[in-house]
Amino acid sequence: LLIKALSSDRRPVVREAAAKNLGEIADPRCLAPLLTALASDPDGEVREEVAGTLGDIKDSAALPSLITALQSDAVAKVRDNAASALGEIGDAGAVPALILALGSDTNEDVRSEAASALASIEDESAVPPLINAVTSDQNENVRARAVSALSYAREERVTQVLLKSLAEDASERVRENTISALIETNDSRVTSALMTMVQSNSNERIRRAAVRGLRKIEDDRVLPVLTGALGRDTSSDVRS
């Protein structure tokens, strides 16, 4: 009944609900009608739901159809869900299409989701495009996602880019995400940068994020800095 509803019901809301419910059914017969709907349903919200459902199913057979949707669907939310689904599937075959979307899609949500999907796949070839997004994308949400995505890459070039982002990016969210990503590097330069932020950064939100980062670092230099902040910082949130 659900397959029939998805394929032939005239009401978009019914087809959308059918797509959602098919994702909860572990039946291989569901895949073909979902792929057909992704390619040809005239309603963008139905295609959006189908793309999300294919991510839930996580069948690599959906890869070509999802890549096509990511590259060519006119509706941004469909491309967004297609990128997310490709990340959920985790097949490296999606990396070139995700890199292209990260660098060129006109919608910031799609670029952001492409960055997160690349993080899920953890392919080495994605590191340069993610670095480019951190340094060049005009949208702070894209830069924030790209920063988080780079946490899987334990490379000197990545550490340098993240340290620069921490020092220079105008977005609080980007710098917060950068702190979280840098903690994974176990680099002494990160400890020094965070200690300086706790002691002298004028932004309460950033000082608080730096304190949270320092709490995860095993370094004898950290305790005096945190103790000093406890007694001296003007923000109760930072002190807590």
Side-chain angles (χ1 to χ4, degrees), residues 99 102-103 115 118 123-137 142-165 169:
I99 288 174
L102 174 64
L118 288 168
D123 191 275
E124 179 67 21
S125 67
V127 172
L130 286 167
I131 288 175
N132 187 62
V134 171
T135 58
S136 303
D137 200 289
V142 178
R143 297 197 306 278
R145 291 279 196 101
V147 159
S148 296
L150 281 170
S151 62
Y152 76 86
R154 307 289 200 276
E155 301 179 30
E156 173 61 21
R157 59 177 172 167
V158 172
T159 301
Q160 290 182 3
V161 167
L162 293 179
L163 285 169
K164 184 176 175 64
S165 173
D169 200 288

Side-chain angles (χ1 to χ4, degrees), residues 46-104:
V46 175
R47 298 196 306 278
E48 176 188 353
E49 188 64 50
V50 168
T53 294
L54 290 169
D56 295 336
I57 293 174
K58 298 181 179 63
D59 192 324
S60 59
L63 207 69
S65 296
L66 287 167
I67 289 173
T68 298
L70 174 62
Q71 293 176 330
S72 61
D73 199 291
V75 178
K77 289 185 177 180
V78 178
R79 302 197 303 276
D80 189 345
N81 273 12
S84 176
L86 289 169
E88 291 288 340
I89 293 171
D91 192 306
V95 168
L98 289 167
I99 288 174
L100 183 62
L102 174 64
S104 63

Side-chain angles (χ1 to χ4, degrees), residues 157-217:
R157 59 177 172 167
V158 172
T159 301
Q160 290 182 3
V161 167
L162 293 179
L163 285 169
K164 184 176 175 64
S165 173
L166 180 62
E168 299 179 4
D169 200 288
S171 165
E172 291 179 348
R173 182 185 174 194
V174 173
R175 282 181 286 163
E176 282 185 312
N177 284 18
T178 302
I179 290 171
S180 297
L182 281 169
I183 293 301
E184 304 297 326
T185 66
N186 296 316
D187 191 300
S188 61
R189 291 169 294 177
V190 176
T191 306
S192 299
L194 295 183
M195 290 192 300
T196 299
M197 284 187 155
V198 170
Q199 293 170 325
S200 61
N201 195 282
S202 61
N203 187 301
E204 174 187 328
R205 182 172 168 181
I206 298 303
R207 294 199 308 278
R208 188 168 67 246
V211 166
R212 287 198 299 266
L214 286 174
R215 288 166 55 189
K216 299 177 181 179
I217 295 174

